[in-house]
Amino acid sequence: MKDITVVIGNYNYARFLREAIESALANVHANARPGYDDRVRVLVIDDGSTDGSRAIIESYGERVSAVFKENQGQSSVYNLGLSLVQTEYVLFLDSDDILYPDAIGAVLRAFESGDYAKVQFRLDVIGEDGVRTGVRVPNSTPPSDCAALLRRGWLYPSPPASGNAYRVSALRSVFPIPMSLHHRKAADFFAIYGIALTGAICALDGALGGYRVHRKAEDKRSASLGQAGLSLGNCEDVSEVELSFPWRWETLRHMIRTRLGEDLPAHFIDFSYEKNRLCVRLYEASTFERWRWLMFESHRYFASVLRNPYWSAGKKLGALGLTLMCLIPGRFVNRFALRYISNPAARLATRHPATARG
């Protein structure tokens, strides 16, 4: 019987932290064995919070292990957490997300059913109040052997950080993440894609946790008008994604080259990235600018749709139809199509506007 550590990385999320810790501890109780140490251990790493996080963490006493460190970013939390865990497996839970009580049991059963380097599961997208929106991520299921496609540059469908559990020895063969100002965020990118080259991946169909979407006050005010509504994630808007992905890929190539002795392609292919580039260029653009994009800048985008190895023919046709809607004169249609392409939550809002507002 193998054990797992849930590492909760936190920075100034006191308003969500207790719920994250409680969700991890619920999994401790659900997987406890009489007469043995708990199969599930909880480690909370606070990355220099200045809100009330420390008091919340300390209130749990010996129920959790705690580390308080200076602020260095998410990558430093992953590096430190991976160096501290003493279990066979690890799951990095963001402190604004939650696990369902049966999550870790399902993950451990999956690991024990085969020789997997990673087990991933879908996450329900939840609002700031914790209510499920009806959206789940990711939308597509990857094959068990993602390495072959990654070696061709394809980024496989994966949930955000909290939906991934790793074999510690496999992740250590790729880590640590090089630390710099650029590498403070998005540590899960290097774990999610680096791990694929170390072994098979098991993708569970069910949702076993919640991915919380919340916005800064200025984003909430502009979400109905600006690009904030185009992005599902919390940390970056669509413009930041376009700037950050290339250097993340280059850093991953360096990590794989130096740790595993493999060379990944110079360029990656990913629809999530290409749809962000699409939104940056076409949102509120003139009809002339939209058609100019189609004629001169659309090659990589259409390649990520038509050559996508994870999509059915129907999904490809749907994406193409929505993309062509972006070329129709009229900003209402333009906004609708881009939001529908970019953000799964916007699709739900289109079908259930009253639910989306609530």
Side-chain angles (χ1 to χ4, degrees):
M1 302 288 282
K2 305 299 185 180
D3 298 340
I4 187 170
T5 300
V6 178
V7 177
I8 302 175
N10 176 68
Y11 177 65
N12 283 347
Y13 274 165
R15 65 192 189 279
F16 305 127
L17 179 57
R18 190 175 295 280
E19 191 174 357
I21 294 175
E22 291 289 348
S23 77
L25 290 175
N27 279 270
V28 173
H29 303 320
N31 292 276
R33 295 168 292 172
Y36 293 86
D37 291 336
D38 291 327
R39 294 193 71 190
V40 184
R41 305 173 192 179
V42 180
L43 169 63
V44 184
I45 300 179
D46 186 81
D47 191 37
S49 294
T50 56
D51 59 1
S53 293
R54 184 174 189 123
I56 292 173
I57 297 168
E58 290 178 337
S59 72
Y60 286 91
E62 296 183 355
R63 298 172 66 192
V64 305
S65 299
V67 175
F68 299 95
K69 58 185 286 298
E70 64 177 337
N71 178 248
Q72 295 173 303
Q74 187 190 42
S75 291
S76 70
V77 171
Y78 270 55
N79 286 345
L80 178 59
L82 191 61
S83 71
L84 293 176
V85 297
Q86 300 178 6
T87 51
E88 184 79 9
Y89 309 110
V90 64
L91 185 151
F92 291 92
L93 176 65
D94 287 345
S95 57
D96 52 345
D97 295 341
I98 58 171
L99 295 175
Y100 297 158
D102 57 343
I104 296 301
V107 165
L108 290 174
R109 288 191 295 273
F111 271 123
E112 290 163 0
S113 69
D115 187 20
Y116 297 113
K118 188 187 91 160
V119 172
Q120 68 177 53
F121 50 87
R122 286 187 166 91
L123 297 170
D124 287 319
V125 177
I126 60 177
E128 189 163 351
D129 56 2
V131 175
R132 299 180 191 182
T133 64
V135 176
R136 289 183 174 181
V137 288
N139 295 314
S140 304
T141 302
S144 59
D145 182 12
C146 297
L149 289 165
L150 189 65
R151 291 184 177 104
R152 290 163 44 196
W154 282 96
L155 301 185
Y156 69 90
S158 174
S162 303
N164 302 276
Y166 308 92
R167 184 182 296 276
V168 169
S169 59
L171 198 55
R172 283 176 176 166
S173 70
V174 178
F175 271 44
I177 303 168
M179 290 300 299
S180 74
L181 289 177
H182 287 301
H183 300 141
R184 292 174 63 89
K185 294 181 181 179
D188 54 327
F189 178 93
F190 306 106
I192 287 168
Y193 298 113
I195 200 74
L197 296 175
T198 70
I201 291 171
C202 175
L204 303 178
D205 286 333
L208 299 177
Y211 173 65
R212 194 186 308 268
V213 174
H214 51 94
R215 291 286 175 185
K216 298 176 183 177
E218 59 268 26
D219 286 345
K220 292 177 182 177
R221 288 193 298 268
S222 62
S224 62
L225 299 175
Q227 291 187 352
L230 297 173
S231 176
L232 180 65
N234 298 311
C235 296
E236 297 176 313
D237 62 24
V238 287
S239 300
E240 288 177 314
V241 169
E242 180 178 12
L243 294 173
S244 63
F245 259 58
W247 63 254
R248 286 181 199 167
W249 177 252
E250 192 56 40
T251 300
L252 179 66
R253 293 181 69 222
H254 171 76
M255 292 170 64
I256 297 302
R257 186 186 309 115
T258 57
R259 301 302 301 271
L260 300 181
E262 290 196 49
D263 285 316
L264 292 175
H267 303 286
F268 64 91
I269 312 171
D270 179 53
F271 176 72
S272 295
Y273 173 71
E274 295 301 332
K275 73 180 183 182
N276 274 274
R277 296 182 73 240
L278 172 78
C279 291
V280 168
R281 282 154 179 74
L282 299 193
Y283 194 80
E284 301 288 10
S286 67
T287 303
F288 173 80
E289 290 170 328
R290 286 180 245 161
W291 279 90
R292 184 182 182 283
W293 169 86
L294 177 67
M295 298 297 295
F296 301 106
E297 301 180 40
S298 62
H299 172 74
R300 283 174 56 94
Y301 174 84
F302 284 114
S304 73
V305 174
L306 296 173
R307 294 167 50 198
N308 197 307
Y310 312 110
W311 286 10
S312 66
K315 189 169 184 177
K316 292 178 183 180
L317 287 173
L320 289 175
L322 282 166
T323 304
L324 293 177
M325 286 178 63
C326 298
L327 305 175
I328 298 174
R331 292 192 173 182
F332 174 81
V333 175
N334 174 255
R335 290 174 180 173
F336 169 84
L338 286 173
R339 290 188 178 183
Y340 204 95
I341 291 170
S342 178
N343 188 347
R347 301 167 203 169
L348 184 74
T350 301
R351 294 192 296 268
H352 306 291
T355 302
R357 288 193 300 268

